[in-house]
Amino acid sequence: MSVTLTERAAQHVQTFLAKRGKGVGLRVGVRTSGCSGMAYKLEFADAMNPDDLAFESHGVKVVVDPKSLPYLDGTELDFAREGLNEGFKFRNPNVKDECGCGESFNV
């Protein structure tokens, strides 16, 4: 089981962690939301919780809580720029369906 970052995503996270001056990595999770049932959560992790799982990817620690891992197992995060927009793209092999806006999914 794992969650990984592309090299481009890892560089983006490292840049922001350096600007913040603190943090142990990127916390990735899911929450119930949206029209398809689940939505991704992303935030910087300033500390590890006792039950957190950590995966190293291109020098960046990806922190996942155990309840989210079954929905995220095998996911790769990329960071992409499309025109004036930029952001993380989730490549999640567990997704069966996504809403039209791409904000939520179900497995």
Side-chain angles (χ1 to χ4, degrees), residues 48-103:
M48 295 277 298
N49 297 326
D51 57 344
D52 282 339
L53 301 156
F55 306 99
E56 192 79 20
S57 189
H58 298 283
V60 173
K61 190 177 290 189
V62 180
V63 181
V64 181
D65 67 271
K67 290 182 181 177
S68 295
L69 187 58
Y71 302 103
L72 297 172
D73 183 32
T75 297
E76 180 184 61
L77 274 80
D78 191 15
F79 189 81
R81 286 195 172 110
E82 296 171 358
L84 297 175
N85 298 318
E86 64 180 15
F88 286 98
K89 300 286 184 188
F90 291 81
R91 295 185 190 127
N92 185 342
N94 305 300
V95 170
K96 303 289 186 251
D97 193 24
E98 293 180 316
C99 69
C101 66
E103 293 296 319

Side-chain angles (χ1 to χ4, degrees), residues 2-76:
S2 70
V3 178
T4 60
L5 303 173
T6 63
E7 189 172 344
R8 182 176 27 213
Q11 289 172 349
H12 184 76
V13 171
Q14 286 172 332
T15 299
F16 270 86
L17 285 173
K19 284 181 184 178
R20 288 180 82 230
K22 64 178 181 176
V24 297
L26 182 69
R27 182 176 299 280
V28 182
V30 296
R31 60 184 166 85
T32 303
S33 176
C35 49
S36 291
M38 307 293 283
Y40 296 108
K41 298 187 304 187
L42 279 178
E43 61 187 12
F44 293 108
D46 290 332
M48 295 277 298
N49 297 326
D51 57 344
D52 282 339
L53 301 156
F55 306 99
E56 192 79 20
S57 189
H58 298 283
V60 173
K61 190 177 290 189
V62 180
V63 181
V64 181
D65 67 271
K67 290 182 181 177
S68 295
L69 187 58
Y71 302 103
L72 297 172
D73 183 32
T75 297
E76 180 184 61

